Amino acid sequence: MGESSPRIDTASGVGEKRGVMTAPLHSSGTARKRFSLGPLTIAIVIVAAMTVLRIIYANAIELRTDEAYYWTWSKESALSFLDHPPGIAWFIRFGTAIFGDTDFGVRFPGILGMLVTQLLLADIVRRLTHDVRAIVFALLMPEAALYYGLLMAKVAPDVAMIPVATAMFWSLVRIAETKDGRWWLLAGVFAGLSLLSKFTAIMFLPAVVAFMLVPDWRWRWLRSPYPYLAALIAVLLFLPVLIWNAQHDWASFRFQSVRAIANHGVSLRTLGDYLGLQFGLVGFILLPVVLWGVFFTAWRGYRRREPVAILLSTAVLVPFVYFLWKSLTLRVGDTWPMFMWPVGFAAAAINIAMLPREGWPQRLIKSSIFWANAAIASGIGWVVLVFLYYMAAPWNFIGKIDPIGAEAGYEQVVERAQAELEKTGATWIATTDYRTYAMLRWLFKDRVPIIQINERGRFQGFRDPGMKLIEGRPGLYVAREPDNRRPLWDSIPVKREPLEVVERRWRGLVIDTYALEKLSGWTPELSPPPDSPLFGWRVLAGEMTKLISLSTQAVRGEVNFTPHPRAFAAGPWRGRRALAAAARRREAVV
């Protein structure tokens, strides 16, 4: 794939090849000075030091519940999963194949993915600006954001998606740089891998469409076979998810659609949660710096029809505005927007390089550079401070809502569970919560069969957990209180014998208590029918106001809220949602 050598128009600062924001490498003494290796060397040293920090964190901090849950996926051969596509499971399987079933083995792909993302961002900026300062910003902005500087060491579907999505944008930048349509094919590969990692990758589609259709080259690509072949490649790579869903009543799409359609009325609290999380996880200074750069890039791109500026800015603004809108009626999860900010870092770094070339006032240029430097310095300091808090501090400043502490201490539960297994002769463990299931399976390392007896829709396609050790033998039920008092047990013909209560603590604070019970006279069903209360999963985003009202009345005995069998006839999703809603409302009142 050949390359051209775009030149800068000194009057306008716009490359003669429209859409390629670049300049000659050594066009002047000033350019040669900018290419001093000093700042770049310092940036590389910082990246290396922060990588070591993430490695220490990955080794020292025990897995969180979702990480353990994704690890259980990596042990299965299912094409896809209810919650997400299989990309994160493949990432974890890669890491544990090298380092074993250890905390670091599970988290290694995230650490590697962070480095790959930084290199791709740096190369995007290098190709578009040939400015060392901008390259340094592209390398260090991710380090200054807690999302990435520390939490890329925590595996999640976003961690699997970010490097391949960034590679997709890198491929599209190569199209703008070379005008060679074959780069579309590589972009299609990375687009498919992005979708295999998380469904929210679809939010990048408007940016790619705008990149193709808004600039003056639209007819060239509309007539070219390459964009269509790229789309076909992406769909073919996404086939495992489509096949799995076709076999399972399109469960993933129904499961995730709850978030898209949920509407609980306008709430300033959820809006504040969303904005507060972005300030905390991107950076109190870095977030405004990035948004400023993105808005300038959007203005530049749509005004001049520059493909790359359109691509980068739209890729951030569309999901940012969507989540802002959703946050008016729904709490946006802490990791949901994680995938969009790396592209914003590239846009912000490029903007800093472009301002002087476009003749903007010196005051604006100096201010932009000052705040970018301040954002990086303060952001890296914040990341290091959070790291030290979890690694060295003995205190708990925020109680049970601490994101690490709230999911720590499961070893205490496992220790007591092991003792009760030996004492009672139980050969397997039952749970009714996927988080408890995941942590028990992680800590027992599959030495004991562990089954979540409800929400079996989560485990479609999972292997036999060891039914030979379960059938006709006593089991041990481990559940966080008050989950052990769920009405679900009223419909299960099992004898339950209370044993003891175990506290899960972190830094002296009791986080949760767990009930341990002996189960006998019953064998759990791995594949209950869709209309069984043991099949349905919990609703992600809650229920509509009317549903909440009806279920609350049902608890009070004012209305009958038992889902009618016809609800399942109309589609198992409706019946499952009704059952889950009714059960949760009853539990909440209890």
Side-chain angles (χ1 to χ4, degrees):
M1 301 182 185
E3 294 188 22
S4 57
S5 300
R7 295 175 300 172
I8 204 79
D9 185 333
T10 55
S12 64
V14 181
E16 290 183 354
K17 297 210 171 187
R18 184 180 293 273
V20 183
M21 300 177 291
T22 184
L25 186 61
H26 297 298
S27 59
S28 66
T30 301
R32 284 193 295 272
K33 183 178 179 181
R34 284 203 306 269
F35 262 80
S36 166
L37 289 179
L40 189 57
T41 302
I42 293 172
I44 292 172
V45 170
I46 293 174
V47 169
M50 296 297 286
T51 301
V52 171
L53 179 147
R54 285 187 289 276
I55 290 173
I56 295 172
Y57 176 91
N59 271 295
I61 301 297
E62 61 193 86
L63 292 192
R64 295 180 65 184
T65 55
D66 281 352
E67 293 179 285
Y69 185 45
Y70 303 137
W71 170 82
T72 68
W73 294 2
S74 74
K75 297 301 179 182
E76 306 297 335
S77 57
L79 285 176
S80 189
F81 303 93
L82 171 70
D83 310 54
H84 295 290
I88 186 59
W90 298 349
F91 261 54
I92 293 173
R93 187 177 299 178
F94 167 71
T96 55
I98 301 173
F99 298 103
D101 289 322
T102 61
D103 293 332
F104 182 72
V106 173
R107 290 168 169 160
F108 170 73
I111 295 171
L112 180 62
M114 174 69 168
L115 292 174
V116 170
T117 300
Q118 288 173 288
L119 290 174
L120 289 169
L121 292 176
D123 195 55
I124 288 172
V125 173
R126 180 189 69 83
R127 292 179 181 279
L128 297 175
T129 68
H130 291 285
D131 187 309
V132 165
R133 181 167 54 194
I135 296 170
V136 168
F137 282 140
L139 283 170
L140 295 185
M141 282 183 179
E143 299 288 6
L146 189 61
Y147 255 146
Y148 314 97
L150 188 62
L151 298 185
M152 276 292 280
K154 184 183 82 68
V155 291
D158 309 84
V159 169
M161 185 179 84
I162 287 169
V164 290
T166 306
M168 179 190 72
F169 287 106
W170 178 85
S171 303
L172 295 173
V173 167
R174 298 289 282 151
I175 294 172
E177 184 183 29
T178 66
K179 304 300 187 292
D180 189 332
R182 289 174 293 178
W183 286 105
W184 278 106
L185 305 182
L186 189 59
V189 170
F190 289 122
L193 293 176
S194 299
L195 286 169
L196 275 176
S197 301
K198 196 170 184 181
F199 294 129
T200 48
I202 197 67
M203 290 191 186
F204 286 142
L205 181 60
V208 177
V209 172
F211 168 80
M212 177 178 168
L213 298 182
V214 173
D216 295 336
W217 64 8
R218 67 180 69 88
W219 290 112
R220 172 178 182 172
W221 297 126
L222 284 171
R223 297 188 184 102
S224 170
Y226 289 116
Y228 306 105
L229 289 173
L232 177 61
I233 290 171
V235 171
L236 289 175
L237 288 172
F238 192 57
L239 274 179
V241 177
L242 296 176
I243 293 171
W244 186 92
N245 274 275
Q247 294 172 341
H248 298 94
D249 191 30
W250 305 102
S252 293
F253 301 124
R254 294 176 183 272
F255 183 75
Q256 293 291 349
S257 68
V258 177
R259 287 170 174 157
I261 65 174
N263 186 343
H264 307 296
V266 174
S267 169
L268 295 180
R269 178 177 179 178
T270 52
L271 173 63
D273 285 346
Y274 170 62
L275 295 176
L277 277 171
Q278 300 321 295
F279 275 106
L281 295 175
V282 177
F284 296 101
I285 301 177
L286 185 57
L287 179 65
V289 166
V290 172
L291 288 175
W292 175 264
V294 168
F295 288 138
F296 257 88
T297 303
W299 176 84
R300 181 182 297 116
Y302 284 95
R303 175 172 169 265
R304 300 175 180 173
R305 296 183 180 180
E306 293 180 357
V308 175
I310 291 170
L311 174 71
L312 299 180
S313 60
T314 308
V316 179
L317 291 177
V318 167
F320 177 76
V321 171
Y322 172 79
F323 286 130
L324 185 68
W325 169 62
K326 290 302 295 183
S327 72
L328 292 172
T329 58
L330 176 72
R331 185 187 180 279
V332 174
D334 55 351
T335 64
W336 296 5
M338 189 177 181
F339 69 96
M340 67 186 180
W341 293 117
V343 184
F345 298 148
I350 292 168
N351 180 65
I352 290 172
M354 293 303 297
L355 290 177
R357 302 179 190 182
E358 296 172 340
W360 289 91
Q362 283 297 313
R363 182 177 178 181
L364 176 64
I365 296 170
K366 291 180 179 179
S367 175
S368 298
I369 295 172
F370 170 81
W371 285 111
N373 286 326
I376 289 173
S378 62
I380 291 177
W382 171 242
V383 171
V384 172
L385 186 64
V386 172
F387 169 79
L388 291 175
Y389 168 68
Y390 286 117
M391 295 301 302
W395 314 290
N396 181 353
F397 290 133
I398 52 179
K400 291 186 177 182
I401 65 172
D402 187 286
I404 300 298
E407 299 183 353
Y410 277 93
E411 294 90 346
Q412 302 154 32
V413 179
V414 167
E415 180 181 352
R416 296 308 308 152
Q418 179 64 54
E420 290 297 342
L421 286 173
E422 297 171 0
K423 180 179 177 180
T424 62
T427 60
W428 57 282
I429 295 177
T431 72
T432 47
D433 171 68
Y434 82 88
R435 295 177 178 87
T436 305
Y437 158 82
M439 292 306 298
L440 291 178
R441 188 171 169 190
W442 164 252
L443 292 170
F444 274 105
K445 295 292 191 295
D446 286 341
R447 296 190 305 271
V448 177
I450 298 171
I451 297 180
Q452 182 179 342
I453 63 172
N454 62 333
E455 298 185 5
R456 293 304 304 172
R458 290 182 179 273
F459 306 99
Q460 298 174 87
F462 277 41
R463 59 184 172 84
D464 179 357
M467 290 303 294
K468 290 182 179 179
L469 294 175
I470 297 174
E471 293 178 354
R473 302 192 182 188
L476 181 69
Y477 177 49
V478 180
R480 184 182 64 176
E481 292 188 325
D483 287 352
N484 60 316
R485 296 191 292 272
R486 287 187 175 190
L488 177 74
W489 285 104
D490 296 338
S491 62
I492 299 176
V494 60
K495 180 181 178 181
R496 299 165 60 193
E497 178 185 342
L499 299 174
E500 65 173 305
V501 173
V502 182
E503 293 179 342
R504 182 164 62 85
R505 293 175 172 267
W506 186 70
R507 294 185 176 177
L509 179 69
V510 176
I511 303 297
D512 267 319
T513 56
Y514 287 76
L516 274 59
E517 302 178 1
K518 181 180 179 181
L519 305 179
S520 57
W522 175 69
T523 298
E525 189 175 1
L526 295 184
S527 300
D531 60 350
S532 167
L534 296 175
F535 182 88
W537 49 80
R538 293 189 181 187
V539 179
L540 284 177
E543 298 73 46
M544 302 299 181
T545 303
K546 181 178 179 180
L547 189 58
I548 294 173
S549 176
L550 285 172
S551 57
T552 302
Q553 294 176 51
V555 172
R556 296 171 179 170
E558 298 171 10
V559 296
N560 180 9
F561 194 66
T562 302
H564 194 278
R566 290 181 181 176
F568 294 101
W573 170 252
R574 296 183 183 178
R576 297 171 205 153
R577 184 164 60 182
L579 281 169
R584 269 204 313 286
R585 296 281 68 79
R586 287 193 295 268
E587 294 163 18
V589 172
V590 171

